[in-house]
Amino acid sequence: MTLLVTGGAGFIGTNFVLDWLAQSDEPVINLDKLTYAGNLESLASLQGDARHVFVPGDIGDSALVNSLLASYRPRAVLNFAAESHVDRSIHSPEDFIQTNIVGTFRLLEAVRAYWSGLAADEKSAFRLLHVSTDEVYGSLGAADPAFTETHRYQPNSPYSASKAASDHLVRAYHHTYGLPVLTTHCSNNYGPYHFPEKLIPLLIVNALAGIALPVYGDGMQVRDWLYVKDHCSAIRRVLQAGRLGETYNVGGWNEKPNIEIVHTICDLLDELVPPATRNLPFASYRALITSVKDRPGHDRRYAIDASKLERELGWTPAETFDTGIRKTVQWYLANPEWVAHVQSGAYRAWVQTQYAAA
Ligand code: NAD
Ligand code: DAU
C-alpha cells in the first residue's frame, strides 16, 4: 500500500505528508517540482525515513508520472500540486495555466492509463483525490449563505479559473471514464510552513522585522480560516470514506474580515514578543498597519458550508481560530531559520514587484 502525493513540499502538502507518516506506516511517494513555493527543508524531519520517497519533478511530465505509477503501484494519488497564489496569477498567469490545467490533465491521463490496467480488486479500491479551493465558487455578498457543493462555479482570478478548469477535468474523467475521483474545496488555510507571501505568515514575518503590514483596500474582505492540520484530517477522511465522484467542502465556520486577522496577530505578538524586546520603537505592532492598493478583482467574501462533510463523514475541525492562530504565531517564533531560508533572493524580488508601487 502506497500513496502518491503531488506538491508534497508545499505548505499543505508538507503538513499532509508529516501528519500522514506520524499516524501510518503506509509509504508516501512525494512528487514535487520544487518551485519557489516548494521547500525540502520543511520535510527535513523525514530524512533517512524509508517511508518517504521524494521525487523532484513536474506533474505534467507524463513519462515521469507513468514510471512512478508503474514502479510504486500506489493505491491512491493525492493532487496538491498547483500554483496557488492569487496575486502571482494576476502578475503572470501562464504558470497557472501550465500546472493547474495542463499539468492536472496530464496527471489524469497517466492515472487513467495506470488505473485501467489494474486488477479488478485494486481498480475498485483506487482513488484519485484532487485538492481544490473554495475560490472556484466566486465571491459572496455580505448576507449570502455560505458556499455549498452545489453553488455554481464563478471563478474571478486567473488562479481560481485555472483551479476551476482542473476541477472540471477531474469531474469529466469520472463521468466519462469512470475514474474513481474525489474533490475537496477548502477555505483559507493557515499554520506551520506557510510561505510568507500569503496574508498570515506575511503579517507575522513583517511585524517581527518591524516593517509595514500591508492591508489591501479597506481590509473588510472576508475569508473563512481553517488550521492546516484540520484540512489534512479532512483529506484523510475523504480519502478513506468519501463517495466516488463527490465533492466535499472543507471549512471551520471561521469567517473573519482581514483587518481583524491583522489586529489579532498584532495583539498576539504584543503579548508574546513585545516590540521593546526586539528594540522596535513603538508600543504595539498595530503601529505598522498600512493600507495599500487593493488587489484587482479582489473577491469580497468567501464562506464555506462544510455540513456535508460533517454529516456524511463525521469530520469536524480540532482547532478553533484562537487555538490555531496562537499555535501558528508560536511556530513562526520557534522557527526563525526556516523563515530566513525561504526569504531568498527570489522572495525579495516578489515582494519588490508586489508592494513597491503600493
Ligand atoms: P503551495 O504553493 O504552498 O505549494 C504548492 C506545491 O506544488 C509546491 O511545493 C510546488 O513546488 C508544487 N508544484 C507546483 N507546480 C508543480 C508541478 N507542475 N508539478 C509538481 N509540483 C508542483 O500551495 P498550498 O497552499 O500548499 O496549496 C496546495 C493545494 O491546496 C493547491 O492545489 C491549492 O490550490 C489548494 N488549496 C490551498 C488553500 C490555501 O489556503 N493555501 C486552500 C484551499 C485549497
Ligand atoms: O480560499 C482559499 C484560497 O486561499 C486558496 O485557494 C489560495 O491558494 C490561497 O492563497 C488563499 O487565497 P487568498 O487570496 O484568500 O489568500 P491570501 O493570503 O493571498 O490573502 C488573504 C486575504 O488577505 C485576501 O483578501 C487578500 C488580503 N491580503 C493579502 C496579502 C498577501 C492583504 O490584505 N494584504 C496582503 O499583503
Side-chain angles (χ1 to χ4, degrees):
M1 302 270 274
T2 299
L3 300 184
L4 174 60
V5 166
T6 73
F11 163 49
I12 304 173
T14 287
N15 279 285
F16 180 86
V17 170
L18 292 174
D19 288 2
W20 181 267
L21 292 176
Q23 305 182 12
S24 163
D25 281 333
E26 183 174 2
V28 172
I29 313 304
N30 185 350
L31 171 65
D32 194 295
K33 190 178 172 184
L34 293 180
T35 68
Y36 77 93
N39 185 356
L40 277 182
E41 206 174 317
S42 309
L43 297 161
S45 62
L46 296 176
Q47 244 172 20
D49 188 328
R51 299 171 306 161
H52 178 241
V53 178
F54 183 78
V55 181
D58 194 320
I59 56 167
D61 181 344
S62 306
L64 174 63
V65 178
N66 286 336
S67 102
L68 290 177
L69 292 168
S71 309
Y72 292 103
R73 304 188 60 75
R75 61 140 177 136
V77 173
L78 290 90
N79 186 30
F80 293 87
E83 288 293 334
S84 70
H85 191 32
V86 173
D87 293 319
R88 285 184 189 258
S89 83
I90 294 166
H91 285 275
S92 44
E94 177 83 30
D95 289 345
F96 290 74
I97 306 305
Q98 279 310 324
T99 285
N100 300 359
I101 305 180
V102 179
T104 303
F105 158 69
R106 295 215 179 114
L107 180 69
L108 282 165
E109 275 294 87
V111 169
R112 179 167 77 92
Y114 164 71
W115 171 77
S116 304
L118 291 175
D121 54 339
E122 292 172 324
K123 206 171 171 182
S124 65
F126 183 83
R127 299 287 182 269
L128 175 112
L129 190 150
H130 178 62
V131 181
S132 188
T133 169
D134 59 359
E135 296 202 14
V136 297
Y137 299 128
S139 185
L140 292 169
D144 291 339
F147 300 127
T148 64
E149 290 79 359
T150 56
H151 196 282
R152 79 169 162 143
Y153 271 47
Q154 218 165 17
N156 290 320
S157 72
Y159 162 69
S160 54
S162 67
K163 289 294 290 185
S166 67
D167 295 358
H168 291 320
L169 286 168
V170 169
R171 177 191 155 84
Y173 272 63
H174 175 68
H175 189 79
T176 305
Y177 305 112
L179 196 69
V181 306
L182 300 157
T183 298
T184 55
H185 295 279
C186 193
S187 58
N188 284 62
N189 285 211
Y190 66 98
Y193 306 108
H194 204 180
F195 193 78
E197 64 185 352
K198 308 280 171 67
L199 180 67
I200 287 183
L202 182 88
L203 293 172
I204 300 170
V205 166
N206 280 15
L208 292 174
I211 59 178
L213 305 180
V215 176
Y216 295 167
D218 65 1
M220 290 307 291
Q221 304 83 6
V222 172
R223 296 293 182 268
D224 190 351
W225 296 94
L226 185 71
Y227 192 60
V228 63
K229 288 175 184 301
D230 283 325
H231 186 189
C232 294
S233 75
I235 289 172
R236 292 196 300 274
R237 185 69 188 129
V238 171
L239 178 66
Q240 181 184 45
R243 286 187 291 125
L244 292 188
E246 289 290 319
T247 63
Y248 292 92
N249 283 353
V250 186
W253 303 99
N254 253 316
E255 282 185 69
K256 303 217 179 277
N258 292 338
I259 195 66
E260 191 180 323
I261 299 289
V262 182
H263 288 158
T264 301
I265 287 171
C266 290
D267 296 351
L268 268 172
L269 288 172
D270 286 344
E271 175 201 325
L272 297 169
V273 276
T277 64
R278 300 179 71 86
N279 292 322
L280 293 169
F282 41 77
S284 166
Y285 291 97
R286 288 193 186 206
L288 296 170
I289 298 171
T290 309
S291 177
V292 300
K293 189 166 52 99
D294 207 351
R295 172 185 282 175
H298 199 170
D299 283 340
R300 195 68 182 166
R301 173 176 168 238
Y302 304 142
I304 273 283
D305 180 338
S307 48
K308 177 178 174 184
L309 180 57
E310 292 166 13
R311 193 178 58 248
E312 286 191 12
L313 303 182
W315 174 87
T316 49
E319 301 290 343
T320 63
F321 187 71
D322 287 349
T323 59
I325 196 68
R326 183 171 283 272
K327 282 184 181 176
T328 302
V329 171
Q330 284 168 332
W331 186 89
Y332 279 88
L333 290 174
N335 290 278
E337 285 178 6
W338 183 91
V339 173
H341 293 171
V342 298
Q343 289 180 308
S344 65
Y347 175 79
R348 285 198 295 277
W350 162 252
V351 169
Q352 182 64 20
T353 310
Q354 172 66 4
Y355 298 101

